[in-house]
């Protein structure tokens, strides 16, 4: 899934718009992390426990947003944004949202084509014209397994 914060994707044409999609989570901070972060905040600097929690929340809401877009038939999300807010004293809401769209890469010679979109169209054309990777072959009769010699242990190497 191609996800961009811009309203358009260079080298691509938006062919269909499926509407807004989002992922949402509300997290509570556990008391242990909150107390540890409180002590660390006295000295200033990053709060790794809170950073980790926010990072995981963003990954979770991104996955939910992508899932919703895929269910609608989208292959990209444009104008993606994050939003966070505090709910009460210990709850944090994290939301990812954007517009689910279906995009087509522009081919060579089309106005606005980029190196990436030309590569994508050429690759798709090659895959469509290539023979199947595993052609159907008639079944071969199974041959009885031949007894094999046990593997000899490899002597340890010295360095």
């Amino acid at each position: 899934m191609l996800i961009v914060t811009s309203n358009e994707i260079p080298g691509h044409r938006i062919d269909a718009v499926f509407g807004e999609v989002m992922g949402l989570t509300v997290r509570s901070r556990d008391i242990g992390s909150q107390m540890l972060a409180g002590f660390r905040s006295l000295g200033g600097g990053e709060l790794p426990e809170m950073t980790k929690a926010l990072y995981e929340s963003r990954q979770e809401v991104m996955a939910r947003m992508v899932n919703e877009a895929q269910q609608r038939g989208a292959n990209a999300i444009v104008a993606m944004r994050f939003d966070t807010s505090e709910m009460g004293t210990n709850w944090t809401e994290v939301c990812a949202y954007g517009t689910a769209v279906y995009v087509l890469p522009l081919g060579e010679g089309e106005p606005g084509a980029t190196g990436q979109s030309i590569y994508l169209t050429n690759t798709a054309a090659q895959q469509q014209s290539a023979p199947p990777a595993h052609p159907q072959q008639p079944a071969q009769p199974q041959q009885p397994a031949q007894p094999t010699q046990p593997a000899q242990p490899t002597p340890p190497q010295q360095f």
Side-chain angles (χ1 to χ4, degrees), residues 66-152:
V66 166
N67 185 41
E68 184 178 337
Q70 287 173 333
Q71 287 177 354
R72 293 187 186 190
N75 66 352
I77 298 172
V78 296
M80 183 278 202
R81 304 284 188 270
F82 282 111
D83 187 29
T84 60
S85 62
E86 297 293 320
M87 298 176 69
T89 57
N90 293 326
W91 301 335
T92 302
E93 172 203 25
V94 179
C95 180
Y97 61 95
T99 303
V101 297
Y102 190 86
V103 295
L104 298 171
L106 300 173
E108 193 168 0
E110 293 185 68
T114 63
Q116 180 184 20
S117 67
I118 293 168
Y119 170 79
L120 290 172
T121 56
N122 289 344
T123 303
Q126 288 173 358
Q127 289 176 350
Q128 288 178 354
S129 65
H134 301 287
Q136 295 284 341
Q137 294 183 358
Q140 298 291 327
Q142 290 285 348
Q143 305 247 342
Q146 300 293 324
T148 58
Q149 297 288 333
Q152 297 295 320

Side-chain angles (χ1 to χ4, degrees), residues 7 23 30 47 62 66 76 92:
N7 293 331
D30 70 84
L47 304 173
M62 286 282 292
V66 166
T92 302

